[in-house]
Amino acid sequence: MSDVLPKIVNDPDLIIETDEEDELLVPDVKEQIREIDTDDVFEKPKKNTATTKIVPVKKEPKPKRELSEAHKEKLKLAREKAIQVRRERAAEKKKLEELENKANEKQKVKKIKELENIVNDVPPPKPKVDIDESVIQRAIEEALTRQEMARQKRKQDKKNALEEEIKRAKAQEVIRQAIYPPKLYAGDQGFASKYIYNMQ
């Protein structure tokens, strides 16, 4: 372990000696620094010997904008129109409120009557119908006429469809007979000439 630590050498040649002059210079510098006047280094602001007052700057107010007579008239008309519209709306609102109040009162009276009828076991009144007999008769006749016309139309359509089907069937029969002629049997006209005697 002793090898790791450095060895102290007591050699008189290695002793560093300080000069006395260096020690003397240090106090002189300190004294010189004390003697320096800070006024020489730093400039102080000069004081005004004359007394001056600072007066705030007053801004002149902007001139007021004057409206022309025509513009004043337009504004006056617009105000009058707005007042008139407001009055009309207020009158409409008031009228609507009055009507709503009347309707509510009528509904209350009607509801009270209905409740009284329920409590007193009064049967509800049957609705009365005032219809003229001629109007009822005419309505019945018109309904029957329309129904009969619809029936006749359906009947005619059915008849037309049947006739069309018959025509189509006849045309198919003619075509079939042209393609496949019927066989002749004994006793039929032309049977002997065709099959027996070969007289064609």
Side-chain angles (χ1 to χ4, degrees):
M1 291 287 263
S2 61
D3 294 339
V4 177
L5 295 174
K7 293 179 182 178
I8 299 173
V9 180
N10 288 329
D11 188 8
D13 294 333
L14 293 177
I15 295 173
I16 301 172
E17 295 179 3
T18 58
D19 293 336
E20 293 178 4
E21 296 174 0
D22 292 338
E23 292 176 2
L24 293 175
L25 285 177
V26 174
D28 290 339
V29 171
K30 288 181 181 178
E31 288 176 9
Q32 287 178 0
I33 290 172
R34 285 184 194 145
E35 291 176 2
I36 295 174
D37 189 13
T38 55
D39 294 339
D40 295 339
V41 178
F42 303 108
E43 288 185 19
K44 290 185 178 178
K46 296 180 180 177
K47 293 182 181 177
N48 285 341
T49 55
T51 57
T52 57
K53 291 184 179 179
I54 299 173
V55 179
V57 179
K58 290 185 179 178
K59 290 184 179 179
E60 293 182 13
K62 290 183 180 179
K64 212 171 194 181
R65 194 166 62 175
E66 296 289 328
L67 297 176
S68 64
E69 291 299 320
H71 196 74
K72 287 180 182 178
E73 283 295 320
K74 286 181 183 178
L75 290 174
K76 183 179 177 183
L77 290 174
R79 278 193 300 271
E80 290 173 358
K81 188 175 180 182
I83 290 169
Q84 183 182 3
V85 168
R86 270 187 254 132
R87 286 180 182 159
E88 288 175 1
R89 287 184 183 166
E92 287 176 4
K93 190 174 180 182
K94 187 176 179 182
K95 186 177 180 181
L96 184 64
E97 287 176 359
E98 288 175 0
L99 290 174
E100 285 178 352
N101 290 338
K102 287 180 183 178
N104 288 339
E105 289 296 323
K106 283 188 176 183
Q107 285 179 349
K108 285 179 187 176
V109 170
K110 187 177 179 183
K111 189 73 173 176
I112 290 170
K113 284 183 181 177
E114 288 177 1
L115 293 174
E116 286 176 355
N117 290 339
I118 290 171
V119 171
N120 298 333
D121 292 332
V122 176
K126 292 182 180 179
K128 294 180 180 178
V129 181
D130 294 334
I131 299 176
D132 192 15
E133 289 293 325
S134 62
V135 174
I136 294 173
Q137 190 63 30
R138 194 173 339 131
I140 292 171
E141 288 174 1
E142 287 177 3
L144 289 173
T145 306
R146 270 185 272 139
Q147 186 178 5
E148 183 62 25
M149 289 175 66
R151 190 181 72 79
Q152 291 292 335
K153 187 174 184 295
R154 285 196 306 271
K155 189 175 178 182
Q156 185 65 34
D157 290 344
K158 188 175 179 182
K159 185 178 178 183
N160 290 343
L162 186 61
E163 288 177 359
E164 187 70 28
E165 188 66 30
I166 290 171
K167 284 181 186 177
R168 197 176 299 123
K170 283 183 180 179
Q172 286 179 354
E173 183 63 27
V174 169
I175 292 170
R176 190 181 61 76
Q177 284 181 0
I179 295 173
Y180 306 108
K183 291 184 178 181
L184 296 175
Y185 296 101
D188 289 342
Q189 186 180 6
F191 178 76
S193 62
K194 185 172 183 184
Y195 292 106
I196 297 175
Y197 304 111
N198 203 5
M199 301 174 74
Q200 273 188 343

